[in-house]
Amino acid sequence: MDSQDTKFNYKIILAALTAVIVGILIAFYYSYAQSRTQISFLEHEKDLLVKDLTLMKADVDRLSALDEVNDIELQTSRYKVQQLLDSVGKLTFTIEKLREYKTELRRLGAKNDSLKLKNDFLNYNNMQLAEKYEASQREIQKIRSTNAALAKAEALQRDQIQDLNKELKTKKYLALETTEGSGYRIRGGRPIQTNKASTVKRLKGRVIIAPDNSLANQERVIYFQFLGPNMGIIEDNANTINVNGNVYSKRVVVNFTGEQTQVEDYISIPEGSLESGDYILNVFEDQRLLQTSEFQLK
């Protein structure tokens, strides 16, 4: 009986040991499988981290080559990125280290984005400055062209003034004995002299040229210039004559024989267009004022 009990106890002990060994093997296998899963996860995260750091390092190198951001910031970023790359290759990873590296990676990524924004901003500013510079160059060129044209015009004007002065010094002009201006109204198609401003339809100029044999048998041109009370030039049928920048009321051609010559001519104006006051008749030859006369209309 005791022998049977002993065998039975041995069997129980053996079964218990077998169960313990099986449990240990199961626990070891589960722990091993969990470790492999964790190791695979860490290896995958390590590869992603190395890839991100490599891309970031390339961005930092590119910005450094452009030389458009702060050199100290670039050197710091480059050093930290390289330090992380070296650490990833050397250290044994843990979940805590992975989290720490991810935090640092995010911080460096934000700083890298900031550097990219600075670079984009500098590129935009450079583009704006280039456009302003080109616009300024175009404006400067336009001003230079304008100044050159003005200088040329001024030089031409100076030459014309010099030529005119020489002509005025050498040319002999007509001498006038009498200059007279007057107003006329029209009745039955005939002009009748009047001094009533509201009825005047013609202003007549009359001059007497003194005899001068040195100018005999020449065609000479004189100009009548009628000025109203407001000193405005009165037009002939709404037409004026512009000669070298000077404005006249009438152009008169004179065939001068060298003897005393009387010359008369008139301008036409709308009836009622004149106001009462003092009027002036200026007589010019070329641009030289020969004589002036005043007359009054009431």
Side-chain angles (χ1 to χ4, degrees):
M1 188 73 176
D2 292 336
S3 175
Q4 289 180 350
D5 291 338
T6 301
K7 288 181 181 180
F8 180 76
N9 289 335
Y10 282 152
K11 289 179 180 180
I12 292 174
I13 293 171
L14 182 60
L17 288 174
T18 302
V20 170
I21 292 171
V22 171
I24 291 173
L25 290 174
I26 292 173
F28 177 76
Y29 177 77
Y30 175 78
S31 177
Y32 173 77
Q34 190 176 26
S35 297
R36 291 298 301 173
T37 301
Q38 190 176 42
I39 288 171
S40 297
F41 172 74
L42 290 174
E43 288 293 337
H44 177 69
E45 291 296 323
K46 175 181 175 181
D47 292 340
L48 291 177
L49 186 59
V50 170
K51 183 178 179 181
D52 290 340
L53 287 171
T54 303
L55 291 175
M56 188 178 298
K57 183 174 182 297
D59 281 341
V60 171
D61 291 338
R62 181 181 62 81
L63 291 174
S64 177
L66 292 175
D67 195 22
E68 293 176 338
V69 294
N70 191 289
D71 288 338
I72 296 177
E73 292 183 355
L74 282 173
Q75 292 295 336
T76 302
S77 297
R78 185 186 293 109
Y79 173 75
K80 289 187 176 180
V81 170
Q82 189 61 49
Q83 191 177 38
L84 283 176
L85 282 171
D86 294 341
S87 298
V88 168
K90 294 177 181 179
L91 296 178
T92 302
F93 260 25
T94 64
I95 293 296
E96 289 75 14
K97 279 289 182 182
L98 177 62
R99 290 171 181 171
E100 178 184 343
Y101 276 33
K102 280 189 173 182
T103 300
E104 182 68 12
L105 180 62
R106 284 194 296 269
R107 192 182 67 79
L108 288 174
K111 190 170 185 179
N112 188 55
D113 291 339
S114 176
L115 292 176
K116 286 182 179 179
L117 289 175
K118 287 182 181 180
N119 184 60
D120 292 340
F121 179 72
L122 288 172
N123 284 334
Y124 175 77
N125 281 346
N126 288 338
M127 182 180 66
Q128 293 291 319
L129 289 173
E131 291 178 354
K132 290 181 180 179
Y133 175 77
E134 291 178 359
S136 299
Q137 289 298 311
R138 288 194 296 269
E139 192 66 25
I140 290 172
Q141 188 60 39
K142 185 186 298 183
I143 292 173
R144 286 176 178 170
S145 300
T146 302
N147 288 340
L150 288 175
K152 186 176 180 180
E154 288 176 357
L156 179 62
Q157 188 178 33
R158 283 195 299 270
D159 292 341
Q160 290 176 343
I161 292 173
Q162 289 177 357
D163 293 341
L164 180 61
N165 289 335
K166 290 179 181 178
E167 183 180 350
L168 291 175
K169 290 178 180 179
T170 58
K171 183 176 180 179
K172 190 173 183 180
Y173 292 89
L174 297 172
L176 302 184
E177 294 181 350
T178 303
T179 299
E180 180 183 298
S182 56
Y184 284 78
R185 62 188 175 90
I186 304 298
R187 176 179 291 180
R190 297 180 56 188
I192 301 174
Q193 187 172 353
T194 180
N195 63 354
K196 189 175 181 181
S198 61
T199 63
V200 172
K201 294 192 67 176
R202 288 182 181 178
L203 289 177
K204 187 174 79 170
R206 186 178 73 89
V207 298
I208 296 177
I209 303 174
D212 189 340
N213 289 328
S214 64
L215 300 178
N217 301 317
Q218 291 186 15
E219 183 179 88
R220 313 288 285 200
V221 178
I222 62 175
Y223 297 92
F224 289 168
Q225 186 186 67
F226 289 97
L227 302 179
N230 61 354
M231 301 306 292
I233 298 174
I234 302 174
E235 301 175 344
D236 179 21
N237 284 324
N239 294 312
T240 55
I241 299 169
N242 193 313
V243 180
N244 295 327
N246 296 317
V247 180
Y248 306 107
S249 304
K250 190 76 174 184
R251 181 178 184 270
V252 183
V253 179
V254 181
N255 293 312
F256 188 57
T257 62
E259 300 178 355
Q260 186 185 66
T261 304
Q262 177 174 294
V263 179
E264 295 182 353
D265 212 329
Y266 64 90
I267 63 172
S268 299
I269 55 176
E271 184 176 356
S273 63
L274 299 182
E275 59 183 17
S276 60
D278 295 327
Y279 288 76
I280 296 175
L281 170 61
N282 293 323
V283 181
F284 292 83
E285 185 178 9
D286 292 336
Q287 299 180 59
R288 180 168 182 169
L289 179 62
L290 301 180
Q291 204 167 68
T292 296
S293 174
E294 294 186 6
F295 60 101
Q296 188 178 61
L297 296 178
K298 299 180 180 179

